[in-house]
């Protein structure tokens, strides 16, 4: 029963009061749920963005590793090419000189994985036993005796540096006896380029005290005999004298290649185009023979490398440490922050629902905070826009439908379209030339669907249009921009006209440099002409002196006039001969070309040539049937052949043999002879080949210079070959010289072919 002084409380009011007390809790719970939902969406988007950035970082580092790998192998190939240039066509080099050369290169300091630098020479089978005994006698106990398998070609490692305990195991080894090495040596020999072996175990592996053996390979560069042609496969096989080679341990080669980010990538290197376990050369963090990991990486990339003609497969995967960066991204922080903010908002709503004054104060504080947050967002947008507006390159953003969404000031300057004119326009129609639009649209469609297109991968050069329809050469760097409707495109476009102008100026500078070199060459020729003039003046002075003395004697004494007149006539004839030689060298002698049968001309000169060569020298002729006729001056050609035979006789010291070979030759524009300066056409060749002492390279370079001779004083004028050179050039042909010291000399005349079927009659026969 109620108290008499207390008013009764209606029973119907208590449920209403409880319902109103429950409303703040429902509002707070609703706000919390909404906040958590928004937080989940933002965190998911942040995680997606972080994954995209992490993937871009992975591909950037993977491409950088591929480039470093390709650059390193190219440098190693250049080291071998440089060593071949140092040998200059011969593998006969002392160990001291080779060790000094290796020390200058400092390969151990500069080139990781470069196990050694060596020279493999070809060993004569008849000298094999003596060679093995000599190597053992020099104190190399690790010398490997050549197996008795392949005996058609024997090789031996004659030089190897550094001479460490490991490398001594390989000294003298016949690499040609092992199939894998032999295949690479044959490829290098037949192509003339560097060649690498398949996966193998080096001879150096397995020494006592060594660490675990590593997979390896070898790279070879052929060495051809100096002065011997090697334009074709047959010539290369005949000219090969050895190989410059380098063995590599794959783990040492790959050590430190990734730099400070090496732990971010798991790298596997396979020999060939397969990823089989038996082809595995290297795997980061384990031995080369380890099994394939079963872990599924977040990112992966494969690349095919070319190692001196040998394909390698480079498999790159993201490491667990690198993928952990995704967990350290902003998604977790956003989730916790959003959850905390949701709880805070729920609490605020509860306070708003329970206390109006306090709720109004909190609402004011939230308004201030939201305004500050909006100001920060606006400031960040302004900062990003300021950066893009002041970027060096033009910036263009395109949505998945192909419409322009961003356009900076540099784009306005480059293409001529104002920002308000470009925004919303079709980027393909606005910037791409008409002939490329269909291809670009198809590529952009694939890019919008998958975020990748081979046509748009990496920076590439293309052509863009400006407002006036003028084509502009540009370099474009593309990045995918994920959106709800697909992948958009952000592109930095660089005008490469200044770079091409700089390249043109460099070409012009190089042209001027070549012209300066030409001027220097002409000055050197003028110096040679000066020497020529001095020699001519000296010889003519001697001739004139003879004439002057004889004339003075004739004036003093009246008797003996006939003998002195004959002396004057002889001196005059010598002067005429010298003048003819000088005119031939200067290509100004009067020629009387006619259609000549060279076979008949050689037959007519047979006795004269044998008399000039001497009884101790045999002269043989090689004249094929169906020989073409030549258009030359027969008298001058006889003088040239006589001079060449006399030069060959002097080079053989009166003993040996001379072969005069005639042949037909057609030179096409793409032939190897055309590359040496011989004009394409049809020629009749006359080759005079002797078995004399030959010429060293420095003598061959000056062989056609006037008055240059290696004969003793008084034995020659040095005008024979220069006269032959001038005659050949003035006749519309060519002359080439080939010589090897100790193996003789061959002088070949290329005379133009005459199309007339009947030869002109020769002049009176030469005296015999």
């Amino acid at each position: 029963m109620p108290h008499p002084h207390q008013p009764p409380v209606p029973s119907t009011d208590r449920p209403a009061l409880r319902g109103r007390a429950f409303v703040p809790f429902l509002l707070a719970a609703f706000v919390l749920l909404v906040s958590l939902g928004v937080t989940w969406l933002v965190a998911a988007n942040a995680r997606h963005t972080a994954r995209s950035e992490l993937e871009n970082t992975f591909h950037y580092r993977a491409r950088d590793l591929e480039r470093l790998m390709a650059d390193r192998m190219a440098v190693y190939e250049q080291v071998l090419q440089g060593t071949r240039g140092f040998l200059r066509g011969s593998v006969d080099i002392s160990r001291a000189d080779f060790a000094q050369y290796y020390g200058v290169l400092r390969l151990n300091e500069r080139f990781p994985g470069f196990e050694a630098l060596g020279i493999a020479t070809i060993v004569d089978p008849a000298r094999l036993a003596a060679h093995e005994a000599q190597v053992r006698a020099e104190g190399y106990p690790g010398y490997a005796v050549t197996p008795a398998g392949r005996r058609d070609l024997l090789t031996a490692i004659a030089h190897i540096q550094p001479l460490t305990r490991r490398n001594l195991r390989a000294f003298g080894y016949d690499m040609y006896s092992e199939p894998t090495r032999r295949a690479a040596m044959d490829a290098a020999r037949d192509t003339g380029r560097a060649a690498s072996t398949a996966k193998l175990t080096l001879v150096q592996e397995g020494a006592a005290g060594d660490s675990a053996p590593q997979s390896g390979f070898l790279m070879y560069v052929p060495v051809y005999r100096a002065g011997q042609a090697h334009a074709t496969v047959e010539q290369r096989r005949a000219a090969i004298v050895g190989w410059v080679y380098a063995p590599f341990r794959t783990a040492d080669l790959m050590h430190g290649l990734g730099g400070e980010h090496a732990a971010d990538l798991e790298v596997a290197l396979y020999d060939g185009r397969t990823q089989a376990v038996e082809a595995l050369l290297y795997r980061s963090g384990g031995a080369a023979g380890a099994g394939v990991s079963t872990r599924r990486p977040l990112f992966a990339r494969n690349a095919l490398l070319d190692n001196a003609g040998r394909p390698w497969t480079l498999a790159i995967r993201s490491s667990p440490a690198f993928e952990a960066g995704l967990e350290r991204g902003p998604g977790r922080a956003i989730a916790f922050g959003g959850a905390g903010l949701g709880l805070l908002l729920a609490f605020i709503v509860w306070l708003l629902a329970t206390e109006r004054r306090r709720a109004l104060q909190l609402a004011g504080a939230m308004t201030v905070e939201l305004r500050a947050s909006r100001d920060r967002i606006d400031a960040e947008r302004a900062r990003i826009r300021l950066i893009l507006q002041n970027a060096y390159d033009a910036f263009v953003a395109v949505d998945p439908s192909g419409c322009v969404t961003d356009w900076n000031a540099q784009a306005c300057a480059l293409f001529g379209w104002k920002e308000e004119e470009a925004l919303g326009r079709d980027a393909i129609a606005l910037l791409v030339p008409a002939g490329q639009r269909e291809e670009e649209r198809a590529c952009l469609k694939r890019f919008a669907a998958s975020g990748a297109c081979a046509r748009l991968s990496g920076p590439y050069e293309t052509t863009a249009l400006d407002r006036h329809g003028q084509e502009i050469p540009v370099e474009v760097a593309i990045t995918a921009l994920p959106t709800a409707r697909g992948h958009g495109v952000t592109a930095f476009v660089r005008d490469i006209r200044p770079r091409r102008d700089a390249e043109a100026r460099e070409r012009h500078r190089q042209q001027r440099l070549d012209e300066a070199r030409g001027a220097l060459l002409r000055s050197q020729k003028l110096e040679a002409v000066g020497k020529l003039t001095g020699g001519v003046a000296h010889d003519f002075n001697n001739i004139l002196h003879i004439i002057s003395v004889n004339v003075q004697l004739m004036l003093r004494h009246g008797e003996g006039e006939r003998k002195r007149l004959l002396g004057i006539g002889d001196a005059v004839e010598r002067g005429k001969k010298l003048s003819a030689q000088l005119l031939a060298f200067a290509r100004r002698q009067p020629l009387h070309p006619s259609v000549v049968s060279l076979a008949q001309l050689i037959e007519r000169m047979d006795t004269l040539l044998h008399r000039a060569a001497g009884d101790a020298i045999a002269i043989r002729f090689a004249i094929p049937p169906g020989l073409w006729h030549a258009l030359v001056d027969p008298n001058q050609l006889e003088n040239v052949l006589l001079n060449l035979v006399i030069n060959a006789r002097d080079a053989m010291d009166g003993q040996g043999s001379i072969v005069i070979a005639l042949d037909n030759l057609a030179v096409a524009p793409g032939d190897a002879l055309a590359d040496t300066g011989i004009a394409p056409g049809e020629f009749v060749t006359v080759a005079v080949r002797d078995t004399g002492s030959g010429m060293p390279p420095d003598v061959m370079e000056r062989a056609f210079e006037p008055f240059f001779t290696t004969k003793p004083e008084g034995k020659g004028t040095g005008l024979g070959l220069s006269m032959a050179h001038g005659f050949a050039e003035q006749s519309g042909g060519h002359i080439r010289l080939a010589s090897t010291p100790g193996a003789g000399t061959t002088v070949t005349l290329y005379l133009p072919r005459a199309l007339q079927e009947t030869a002109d009659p020769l002049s009176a026969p030469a005296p015999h």
Side-chain angles (χ1 to χ4, degrees):
M1 190 172 196
H3 195 275
H5 301 289
Q6 181 180 2
V9 178
S11 60
T12 55
D13 290 342
R14 293 181 179 178
L17 290 174
R18 287 195 299 267
R20 287 195 297 270
F22 196 67
V23 169
F25 177 78
L26 292 178
L27 290 176
F30 176 78
V31 170
L32 179 61
L33 291 176
V34 172
S35 299
L36 292 177
V38 172
T39 299
W40 181 83
L41 292 176
V42 174
N45 184 65
R47 183 177 178 85
H48 178 75
T49 303
R51 178 188 174 93
S52 178
E53 293 176 354
L54 198 65
E55 183 177 8
N56 290 337
T57 302
F58 167 80
H59 286 292
Y60 172 80
R61 293 178 183 170
R63 288 193 298 268
D64 188 62
L65 179 63
E66 297 168 13
R67 179 185 59 79
L68 290 175
M69 186 70 182
D71 291 347
R72 177 168 288 186
M73 297 316 300
V75 169
Y76 291 172
E77 181 177 339
Q78 289 301 318
V79 170
L80 296 184
Q81 296 285 4
T83 304
R84 177 171 67 176
F86 168 75
L87 295 177
R88 301 180 66 182
S90 172
V91 293
D92 296 328
I93 180 175
S94 68
R95 293 196 178 97
D97 290 343
F98 189 70
Q100 182 181 9
Y101 173 76
Y102 178 84
V104 171
L105 293 180
R106 295 164 58 191
L107 296 180
N108 289 342
E109 301 175 18
R110 301 176 178 175
F111 305 101
F114 219 113
E115 182 71 11
L117 180 65
I119 301 175
T121 62
I122 297 176
V123 180
D124 185 358
R127 298 177 54 198
L128 178 60
H131 173 75
E132 293 177 345
Q134 177 186 359
V135 173
R136 289 195 181 92
E138 291 178 355
Y140 297 100
Y143 172 77
V145 178
T146 303
R150 292 181 58 89
R151 310 300 291 185
D152 54 340
L153 179 62
L154 300 176
T155 67
I157 300 176
H159 298 279
I160 189 168
Q161 288 291 332
L163 280 176
T164 61
R165 176 176 55 83
R166 290 171 51 80
N167 289 333
L168 283 176
R169 292 172 55 84
F171 195 90
Y173 178 70
D174 181 10
M175 294 187 289
Y176 202 80
S177 64
E178 196 275 320
T180 302
R181 293 172 172 84
R182 180 170 65 248
M185 296 170 76
D186 287 345
R189 176 197 64 192
D190 293 345
T191 63
R193 296 188 295 270
S196 286
T197 66
K199 174 186 175 182
L200 50 74
T201 300
L202 301 180
V203 178
Q204 289 90 333
E205 299 287 354
D210 282 353
S211 59
Q214 298 182 18
S215 297
F217 67 98
L218 296 98
M219 185 182 294
Y220 296 91
V221 170
V223 180
Y224 301 110
R225 185 175 291 107
Q228 186 167 346
H230 50 272
T232 64
V233 173
E234 290 76 16
Q235 291 175 344
R236 296 188 190 106
R237 293 179 177 176
I240 189 72
V241 295
W243 292 264
V244 176
Y245 85 101
F248 298 90
R249 303 177 82 198
T250 315
D252 294 344
L253 175 70
M254 299 293 293
H255 179 69
L257 196 63
E260 61 181 353
H261 300 292
D264 293 344
L265 304 177
E266 292 180 349
V267 181
L269 183 63
Y270 297 87
D271 178 37
R273 303 175 184 271
T274 178
Q275 295 190 25
V277 175
E278 58 271 16
L280 184 63
L281 285 168
Y282 167 80
R283 181 182 299 282
S284 59
V292 178
S293 173
T294 58
R295 186 184 69 86
R296 184 177 182 85
L298 195 59
F299 310 112
R301 178 185 180 91
N302 294 333
L304 190 65
L305 304 179
D306 180 25
N307 176 31
R310 183 73 187 178
W312 279 358
T313 299
L314 184 64
I316 305 173
R317 306 192 307 174
S318 57
S319 67
F322 180 79
E323 295 171 1
L326 185 62
E327 301 299 326
R328 295 191 298 268
R332 181 172 297 180
I334 291 174
F336 285 106
L341 184 59
L343 290 173
L344 178 61
L345 288 176
F347 178 71
I348 292 173
V349 169
W350 180 77
L351 290 178
L352 287 173
T354 56
E355 188 174 352
R356 182 179 180 185
R357 182 179 60 83
R358 190 173 179 182
L360 290 175
Q361 292 176 350
L362 291 175
M366 289 182 61
T367 302
V368 173
E369 183 65 27
L370 290 174
R371 185 178 295 117
S373 177
R374 185 194 62 187
D375 293 341
R376 287 194 300 270
I377 294 174
D378 292 342
E380 183 66 19
R381 289 179 177 173
R383 186 177 69 85
I384 294 175
R385 180 172 178 79
L386 181 63
I387 292 173
L388 293 178
Q389 289 296 331
N390 291 277
Y392 175 76
D393 298 328
F395 177 79
V396 179
V398 181
D399 63 14
S401 64
C403 295
V404 177
T405 59
D406 283 291
W407 187 272
N408 70 349
Q410 189 62 28
C412 297
L414 179 61
F415 300 113
W417 297 97
K418 296 181 181 179
E419 183 177 3
E420 57 272 16
E421 295 174 332
L423 294 179
R425 296 278 297 275
D426 183 4
I428 300 297
L430 191 68
L431 302 177
V432 178
Q436 305 175 14
R437 290 176 182 172
E438 293 301 323
E439 179 183 1
E440 293 293 341
R441 288 189 190 279
C443 189
L444 185 60
K445 185 176 181 180
R446 293 194 299 271
F447 194 91
S450 62
C453 178
R455 173 72 175 80
L456 303 179
S457 61
Y460 65 95
E461 293 185 3
T462 185
T463 302
L465 284 180
D466 65 2
R467 182 169 189 162
H468 305 291
Q470 181 181 359
E471 293 188 352
I472 305 172
V474 296
E475 181 182 75
V476 183
I478 297 295
T479 303
L481 181 63
T483 66
R485 295 183 297 150
H487 291 83
V489 174
T490 60
F492 283 93
V493 185
R494 176 170 296 180
D495 186 358
I496 60 175
R497 286 177 294 184
R499 186 175 70 190
R500 292 192 175 178
D501 292 342
E503 292 173 352
R505 289 194 299 270
E506 176 61 22
R507 288 193 298 270
H508 183 61
R509 187 191 68 81
Q510 188 63 37
Q511 181 181 0
R512 294 200 303 269
L513 180 60
D514 293 340
E515 292 174 354
R517 289 173 179 165
L520 176 60
L521 181 60
R522 288 192 293 272
S523 68
Q524 292 173 343
K525 290 183 178 179
L526 288 176
E527 182 180 357
V529 172
K531 293 179 181 179
L532 171 66
T533 305
V536 172
H538 177 73
D539 286 346
F540 268 107
N541 186 49
N542 292 338
I543 296 171
L544 294 176
H545 180 71
I546 296 172
I547 297 174
S548 175
V549 170
N550 281 278
V551 171
Q552 290 178 11
L553 291 175
M554 290 177 63
L555 293 175
R556 292 181 182 179
H557 307 285
E559 58 186 20
E561 291 82 355
R562 177 176 177 79
K563 181 177 181 180
R564 293 185 177 88
L565 287 173
L566 290 175
I568 294 172
D570 181 61
V572 170
E573 288 300 322
R574 287 167 56 196
K576 289 173 60 180
K577 182 178 179 181
L578 180 60
S579 299
Q581 289 177 325
L582 295 174
L583 288 172
F585 163 69
R587 308 178 197 173
R588 296 183 179 179
Q589 64 174 336
L591 296 181
H592 303 286
S594 59
V595 179
V596 178
S597 171
L598 296 185
Q600 295 179 5
L601 185 142
I602 293 296
E603 181 181 358
R604 188 180 72 167
M605 292 184 65
D606 180 47
T607 303
L608 179 62
L609 295 176
H610 279 85
R611 185 184 304 164
D615 297 335
I617 295 178
I619 300 180
R620 295 187 293 107
F621 302 99
I623 304 175
L627 188 68
W628 296 336
H629 296 151
L631 184 63
V632 292
D633 187 326
N635 295 324
Q636 295 297 331
L637 180 57
E638 289 179 358
N639 290 334
V640 169
L641 290 176
L642 187 60
N643 277 328
L644 294 179
V645 170
I646 293 173
N647 285 344
R649 177 200 67 190
D650 295 341
M652 295 185 293
D653 293 331
Q655 291 185 350
S657 63
I658 300 174
V659 177
I660 300 178
L662 309 182
D663 202 357
N664 300 329
L665 178 66
V667 179
D671 291 350
L673 281 175
D675 296 336
T676 65
I678 296 181
E682 294 180 333
F683 300 92
V684 182
T685 63
V686 182
V688 180
R689 183 166 53 252
D690 62 61
T691 59
S693 58
M695 300 182 187
D698 56 339
V699 174
M700 287 183 61
E701 292 178 358
R702 304 184 59 192
F704 293 121
E705 290 185 9
F707 300 108
F708 174 75
T709 180
T710 57
K711 298 178 182 179
E713 186 70 25
K715 294 295 184 179
T717 63
L719 287 173
L721 283 178
S722 62
M723 181 190 71
H725 180 272
F727 165 74
E729 295 290 336
Q730 190 177 359
S731 299
H734 306 276
I735 186 171
R736 290 294 181 268
L737 186 65
S739 181
T740 302
T745 302
T746 301
V747 182
T748 305
L749 293 170
Y750 296 82
L751 304 176
R753 176 191 179 183
L755 299 179
Q756 181 176 318
E757 296 182 358
T758 305
D760 295 337
L762 295 173
S763 58
H768 295 284

